[in-house]
Amino acid sequence: MNDRNKVKKSRSDGEQSRERLLLAAMRLFAEQGYAKASTREIALAAGANVAAISYYFGDKAGLYRAAFAAMSLDPHQNIASYDQPHLTLRQSLEIFFSQMLAPLREGDISQLCNRLWFREMLEPTGLWANEIENNIRPEHEAMARIICRHLGLAEPDDEIHRLTFCVASQALLLMVGSDVVSTITPQLLNGPDAIGPWIERFTGFAEAMIEAEARIRKKES
């Protein structure tokens, strides 16, 4: 094996080791919480040395942050793709829902992430508050702007914020309740193309809600 191949193999082995640690951490943090899941237990589950955690993540807190953010995407990149004036309302909504539901295409990993998020909400370490402020808030505000643009409003009022929460809650309910859907109606989440119909329906439902708000405002004006 030449030196170049040795380097490639080393990098590959390193990436696999990091990935195993991350998956083991996601599972154990979700099951036990941050305080109870030990680095030794995580390393054992991943088939790695405890020292590898320090090497790849710095410490236990760094590993937890990496596990918590495993399925997170840069909200500003997300927003840039659907908050564009030239897009129709439907196009913006389709992209918005496609990005929200993208983790469900990852199967078991998305379930681990959901369980970890639930654990963080029950036993907060501060990461959930950070998630709200730095990821959820910007996307909420972006969707509120899109709705305002469609309704001809300068800025969102309380009703627009309520409407924005209603729009996003469709996808949120599916994300956090995917195990319920899989138990009651497994056919709705089976197969690689299962998410497409959800995106189409959520987009149509969201359009209907926004049009209903437009009618309400016209009637009240």
Side-chain angles (χ1 to χ4, degrees), residues 50 62 84 93-94 96 101 110 118 120 124 129 145 187 193 202:
V50 175
Q84 300 185 43
L93 289 168
E94 285 177 342
F96 174 75
L101 296 179
S110 70
F118 292 151
E120 170 64 22
R145 286 196 302 270
Q187 73 278 9
D193 301 322
F202 287 165

Side-chain angles (χ1 to χ4, degrees), residues 82-93:
Y82 62 78
D83 185 11
Q84 300 185 43
H86 71 276
L87 294 177
T88 65
L89 175 62
R90 185 170 189 84
Q91 289 171 330
S92 292
L93 289 168

Side-chain angles (χ1 to χ4, degrees), residues 10 12 18 26 34 71-72 78 88 129 140 142 155 176 201 208:
S10 176
S12 178
R18 186 183 187 280
M26 290 167 66
Y34 176 75
M71 297 293 286
S72 295
N78 288 350
T88 65
H140 171 90
E155 59 183 23
V176 301
R201 288 296 185 181

Side-chain angles (χ1 to χ4, degrees), residues 89-149:
L89 175 62
R90 185 170 189 84
Q91 289 171 330
S92 292
L93 289 168
E94 285 177 342
I95 298 170
F96 174 75
F97 286 123
S98 294
Q99 293 178 345
M100 278 196 75
L101 296 179
L104 290 180
R105 300 183 189 275
E106 302 298 325
D108 293 342
I109 295 179
S110 70
Q111 290 297 319
L112 277 178
C113 285
N114 285 338
R115 294 189 186 105
L116 183 56
W117 281 32
F118 292 151
R119 176 68 72 171
E120 170 64 22
M121 284 186 275
L122 291 172
E123 301 173 7
T125 68
L127 291 189
W128 181 240
N130 183 72
E131 177 73 17
I132 293 172
E133 191 62 32
N134 296 317
N135 291 298
I136 297 174
R137 180 192 290 275
E139 298 227 32
H140 171 90
E141 292 174 346
M143 181 49 62
R145 286 196 302 270
I146 291 169
I147 294 174
C148 283
R149 191 157 60 234

